[in-house]
Amino acid sequence: MATVEMKDLLDSGVHFGHKKKRWNPKMSKYIFGERNGICIIDLKQTVSALDATHDFVRDLASSGQSVLFVGTKRQAQEIVKEGALRCDMYFVNHRWLGGMLTNFATIKQSIKKLKRLESAQEDGTYERLPKKEVIKLEKDRVQLDKTLGGIKDMNRLPSAIFIIDTIKEQTAVLEGRRLGIPIIAIVDTNCNPDEIDYPIPGNDDAARSLSLITNKIADAVLEGRGIREKSTTPPAPPVKKAAVSEMVFEPEVKTPEETVKAETVNAETSGKVETEPSASPVVTPPPTPEVAENPASA
């Protein structure tokens, strides 16, 4: 069964590409045709790519691995944030810092600083500091939260990266390729699909197109996590059969009519004496005495 229907892709404008003069020849295999100077994307290939990507992301999530959502262009910022939060994944939607993956050890130091500033804001440390210093610290916290807020709980490199607009996020693409991290991306007609492990041909400018595809990736993550939860849930313990000594037998409750009837039957039974015919004694005849022969008669 297809992950998305063709009608949904058409309604969201996923098939609209860029003008012919801005196309990348490497995208020719994903282009259905041209209309009014605008490239039209082959949505059959988009459906196939979404199905393959859905299976890949679902398998990642079912094994407990993570996906990083990246999209810093204006129309993608809120879409990326909402999709990542819905499936409890990490995201970058403000600005990609150089070395965010290749120099992750240094980025983790900045994340620690962000967490310290958040703790100081919550535990009342700001109240004991001068006003000017509080303003400076709060400015630093806001700036760090914009760039690192979506990855502050990411303790290790992600297992895959989902990118919107590979041209704008070229640094993220290069870092992912350098580290061997699989890259999933929406590739428009001006992109290079050879740089992407799981290219999804589609419109990377329209908000409805971005929302549809991002939600499908988030759904795949949620499906994979559901599979993982089912596989890790311990089976129910077997029902222990009670021993005979542990069984509780409740007395039989009889109605008054049944009680009177039972007493009558018992009285009649006790008044009768069953007699069995006695067996006749066996009489054994006495032995016959032997008569001695008279020698005289002989």
Side-chain angles (χ1 to χ4, degrees):
M1 181 178 179
T3 304
V4 63
E5 298 294 335
M6 189 82 70
K7 182 178 183 300
D8 296 333
L9 296 175
L10 286 170
D11 293 341
S12 301
V14 179
H15 57 293
F16 290 119
H18 288 279
K19 292 183 178 181
K20 180 69 174 180
K21 62 182 180 180
R22 295 182 56 190
W23 80 310
N24 189 324
K26 294 182 179 180
M27 284 291 296
S28 58
K29 57 184 178 181
Y30 298 113
I31 296 177
F32 176 78
E34 178 185 349
R35 181 176 299 175
N36 298 328
I38 296 176
C39 296
I40 305 298
I41 297 172
D42 186 1
L43 292 183
K44 289 184 178 179
Q45 299 194 53
T46 302
V47 172
S48 300
L50 272 173
D51 290 342
T53 304
H54 177 275
D55 295 342
F56 171 69
V57 174
R58 180 195 60 202
D59 295 341
L60 276 182
S62 64
S63 60
Q65 303 184 60
S66 60
V67 179
L68 176 63
F69 288 65
V70 180
T72 61
K73 63 198 307 182
R74 179 180 55 82
Q75 61 267 41
Q77 289 179 354
E78 285 301 317
I79 295 172
V80 165
K81 182 178 180 179
E82 291 175 2
L85 292 178
R86 185 165 68 87
C87 62
D88 195 22
M89 285 295 173
Y90 314 115
F91 65 92
V92 176
N93 68 335
H94 180 67
R95 184 168 70 92
W96 182 271
L97 299 177
M100 188 170 282
L101 296 179
T102 54
N103 195 15
F104 188 61
T106 302
I107 297 298
K108 289 178 71 174
Q109 298 300 321
S110 299
I111 292 175
K112 289 181 179 179
K113 180 180 179 181
L114 172 61
K115 291 183 177 180
R116 286 198 303 268
L117 292 175
E118 289 178 343
S119 299
Q121 183 188 29
E122 294 174 358
D123 61 14
T125 303
Y126 280 3
E127 298 176 0
R128 300 191 296 270
L129 298 176
K131 185 176 180 180
K132 289 186 177 180
E133 186 173 354
V134 170
I135 293 174
K136 181 179 180 301
L137 293 176
E138 185 63 14
K139 183 179 179 180
D140 293 342
R141 186 195 67 78
V142 171
Q143 185 63 30
L144 287 173
D145 186 65
K146 281 184 179 180
T147 54
L148 303 175
I151 62 170
K152 64 182 178 181
D153 296 324
M154 188 172 72
N155 299 320
R156 59 180 181 178
L157 293 175
S159 302
I161 311 173
F162 170 65
I163 298 176
I164 294 177
D165 196 343
T166 57
I167 294 179
K168 182 175 178 59
E169 313 299 342
Q170 185 65 25
T171 305
V173 173
L174 294 176
E175 291 189 24
R177 289 175 58 83
R178 182 175 180 180
L179 295 175
I181 300 175
I183 299 175
I184 307 163
I186 304 175
V187 289
D188 210 328
T189 55
N190 62 337
C191 298
N192 182 7
D194 295 342
E195 300 177 339
I196 311 303
D197 298 288
Y198 292 89
I200 304 173
N203 187 349
D204 64 0
D205 294 311
R208 294 180 63 185
S209 172
L210 301 180
S211 178
L212 176 65
I213 297 176
T214 302
N215 286 331
K216 294 302 177 182
I217 301 298
D219 291 341
V221 174
L222 293 174
E223 183 178 345
R225 287 193 166 178
I227 295 174
R228 179 176 176 80
E229 291 176 0
K230 290 180 180 179
S231 63
T232 56
T233 303
V239 179
K240 181 182 178 182
K241 294 184 178 181
V244 177
S245 58
E246 298 177 354
M247 293 183 180
V248 178
F249 296 95
E250 297 182 356
E252 183 181 358
V253 180
K254 295 182 179 181
T255 61
E257 292 79 3
E258 293 177 346
T259 304
V260 172
K261 185 177 180 180
E263 291 176 354
T264 305
V265 172
N266 291 336
E268 292 177 355
T269 304
S270 60
K272 296 179 180 179
V273 178
E274 296 181 357
T275 58
E276 295 181 358
S278 57
S280 302
V282 179
V283 179
T284 304
T288 305
E290 294 182 0
V291 179
E293 293 183 358
N294 190 358
S297 63

